[in-house]
Amino acid sequence: MADSSINLLGLRICISGIGLVGNVFLILSIIQTKLSRVKSFELFLLGLAAANLEEILILNIYDVIIHWPSAATASTWSCRLLKFLTVFGEANSILFTVLICIFRYHKLRDANRRVNLPIYLDSIRSAWLVSGVCVMLSTLLSVPIFIINLQGPAENITVNISGCPPDFFRCSEDDCPIFNRIYKYLFILACNLLPLIIITVSSCLIIAVLLSQRKTVKPVACVSGSEQFGKKSKGLRIQRSTVAVLAAMALFQVDWTLFVVLQLTVNPSDFPFWAEMEFFISTSYTSTSPYVYGIGNNLFSLKNFIKK
């Protein structure tokens, strides 16, 4: 058991390090273009990377307090604040993922008829507005952390000697406060199930649009050489970016489907490695997605890193 804990700890450190590096690089790559010139899609990626980075950092701080209580004895208020920040980062990451998927679908839909006309989210002002809505919704979904009940018969299970519960949703099956149950299932519905449905539907629509566009490609003889080259180059960039979005969406679907299934079917008290499993599921997307988006959108190129 001790060897397993050491191996899991090493794996957690490795995944966290990969995630920190990837999200920092993605943020720096976007900021280098100056915020005044950042496009809507890049702004959404910036919001996603910032949320991922915050979640990984706070989650590791919270984990240290839980597993090494001798390092710091946290008060209940400190535990709630750290958990609030963790849930806030997780919700933000999920909502920005939904936003990216919806944005990409609307950019592809009716692209041939719309030509160069922008969509609503192309406006940077609109992009800032919907990003603010994501942050506000994440805050509203996280605020109940400060008021849910941590006391009662489950206290010996949910709270360790550091004073911080490893899982704020966990409580006794025989005596669980009704508000805790409501919050748990409301959070799973709003932050897991609905985003999964939206992303699955949007991903299927994106694939359908890509397949339909392949059947309606303009004949080569109808366009000049320079126009053909320009359109081909732009089309390849969009296609590569769309493939990256679809790959990130597939990773999101696998991770959060597994998370929802475990939350609804597994009793954490009977599963000794529940905290580690939850950590790996929640951070696999936040640690891997910046590389998928960065490489797919040519943000992780050597040219970008040698600037400045």
Side-chain angles (χ1 to χ4, degrees):
M1 184 69 71
D3 291 339
S4 299
S5 300
I6 293 174
N7 292 332
L8 288 173
L9 176 60
L11 187 57
R12 288 171 71 110
I13 294 173
C14 181
I15 293 176
S16 298
I18 292 173
L20 290 173
V21 171
N23 285 290
V24 168
F25 276 5
L26 184 58
I27 292 172
L28 292 178
S29 298
I30 296 173
I31 290 179
Q32 280 182 346
T33 62
K34 296 183 181 179
L35 287 178
S36 59
R37 294 167 48 198
V38 167
K39 298 178 181 178
S40 297
F41 183 73
E42 293 169 340
L43 179 62
F44 300 149
L45 288 182
L46 187 62
L48 175 67
N52 290 345
L53 191 61
E54 186 260 351
E55 181 185 355
I56 294 172
L57 285 172
I58 300 300
L59 190 60
N60 278 278
I61 293 173
Y62 191 78
D63 187 64
V64 167
I65 293 176
I66 291 175
H67 290 89
W68 286 276
S70 59
T73 302
S75 64
T76 302
W77 176 256
S78 299
C79 293
R80 290 181 185 271
L81 179 60
L82 288 171
K83 192 62 177 180
F84 166 82
L85 292 174
T86 302
V87 174
F88 174 77
E90 177 183 311
N92 249 328
S93 177
I94 292 172
L95 293 178
F96 271 105
T97 300
V98 172
L99 191 56
I100 288 170
C101 192
I102 292 175
F103 174 79
R104 182 45 50 116
Y105 167 65
H106 281 281
K107 284 293 289 183
L108 291 174
R109 189 186 64 176
D110 300 328
N112 293 331
R113 285 182 291 176
R114 189 165 37 82
V115 193
N116 291 325
L117 293 177
I119 62 173
Y120 173 74
L121 289 177
D122 277 329
S123 166
I124 195 65
R125 187 173 181 178
S126 301
W128 277 107
L129 177 62
V130 294
S131 298
V133 171
C134 287
V135 174
M136 182 183 67
L137 289 175
S138 300
T139 304
L140 291 176
L141 287 169
S142 308
V143 163
I145 287 291
F146 290 109
I147 56 178
I148 61 175
N149 187 5
L150 301 181
Q151 307 300 319
E155 186 175 5
N156 60 337
I157 298 176
T158 58
V159 180
N160 56 28
I161 57 177
S162 70
C164 290
D167 187 352
F168 272 55
F169 288 146
R170 198 188 313 180
C171 58
S172 171
E173 294 183 0
D174 299 327
D175 186 9
C176 187
I178 186 65
F179 184 76
N180 289 41
R181 292 184 183 273
I182 292 174
Y183 177 51
K184 174 182 178 178
Y185 293 114
L186 178 63
F187 185 86
I188 292 175
L189 174 65
C191 234
N192 298 129
L193 285 177
L194 284 180
L196 271 173
I197 293 172
I198 294 172
I199 285 175
T200 301
V201 173
S202 298
S203 298
C204 292
L205 291 174
I206 289 174
I207 294 173
V209 170
L210 291 176
L211 292 176
S212 66
Q213 286 179 350
R214 290 186 62 182
K215 297 177 182 179
T216 57
V217 176
K218 192 174 183 180
V220 176
C222 297
V223 295
S224 64
S226 59
E227 182 183 357
Q228 178 187 347
F229 178 79
K231 288 187 175 181
K232 183 178 180 181
S233 178
K234 182 179 179 181
L236 288 174
R237 289 198 303 270
I238 294 176
Q239 185 179 20
R240 183 178 178 182
S241 176
T242 302
V243 170
V245 170
L246 289 174
M249 296 308 109
L251 177 64
F252 178 93
Q253 289 169 305
V254 171
D255 284 345
W256 292 107
T257 298
L258 180 60
F259 181 82
V260 171
V261 170
L262 289 176
Q263 278 283 0
L264 297 178
T265 60
V266 176
N267 184 358
S269 303
D270 299 331
F271 191 58
F273 295 112
W274 171 257
E276 284 75 13
M277 180 65 71
E278 187 177 20
F279 174 87
F280 292 137
I281 292 174
S282 61
T283 56
S284 57
Y285 174 74
T286 57
S287 298
T288 309
S289 60
Y291 295 97
V292 177
Y293 288 119
I295 296 173
N297 292 277
N298 202 32
L299 293 171
F300 279 8
S301 64
L302 182 61
K303 182 180 177 181
N304 286 335
F305 291 126
I306 62 178
K307 287 180 180 179
K308 295 186 178 179

